[in-house]
């Protein structure tokens, strides 16, 4: 939005000095729903998302690529966030027999 206002400030004086009687500018603003990692524990992950956005599969969100564990995430709670947006809490469902420990070789 700041870029659009700067562009408008640059265009308006040059148009006004050219002597034209009216100026018409069309702006389109769209909001893309996004999420960010809010908190994480061994049992759950909480994402802070755009208001009322509840992704069914957080692994599919490009902004969270590489930040989430590979376990299946099951939505457990959704609530409004006081700072704006929505908090979505997901429970981690690990396959049976998996200890949850990472082993590096």
């Amino acid at each position: 939005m700041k870029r659009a206002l700067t562009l408008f400030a640059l265009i308006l004086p040059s148009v006004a000095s050219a002597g034209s009687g009216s100026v018409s500018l069309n702006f389109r603003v769209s909001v893309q729903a996004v999420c960010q990692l809010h908190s994480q524990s061994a049992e759950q992950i909480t994402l802070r998302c755009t208001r009322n956005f509840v992704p069914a599969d957080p692994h599919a969100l490009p902004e969270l690529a590489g930040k989430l564990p590979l376990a299946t995430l099951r939505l457990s709670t959704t609530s409004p966030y006081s700072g704006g947006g929505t908090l979505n809490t997901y429970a981690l469902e690990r396959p049976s027999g998996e200890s949850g420990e990472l082993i590096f070789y």
Side-chain angles (χ1 to χ4, degrees), residues 31-104:
V31 177
Q32 180 179 359
V34 293
C35 293
Q36 66 184 21
L37 189 59
H38 183 71
S39 65
Q40 182 174 358
S41 71
E43 297 84 30
Q44 67 182 18
I45 289 180
T46 302
L47 302 178
R48 179 180 168 205
C49 299
T50 307
R51 186 176 58 186
N52 299 325
F53 178 54
V54 183
D57 181 16
H59 289 96
L61 300 172
E63 65 269 18
L64 294 176
K67 296 179 182 177
L68 300 175
L70 297 177
T72 302
L73 300 175
R74 181 182 46 80
L75 182 66
S76 57
T77 62
T78 297
S79 62
Y81 181 59
S82 61
T86 300
L87 288 180
N88 300 312
T89 302
Y90 295 84
L92 277 81
E93 293 183 356
R94 301 189 193 285
S96 60
E98 186 179 316
S99 64
E101 296 178 12
L102 293 175
I103 301 172
F104 294 96

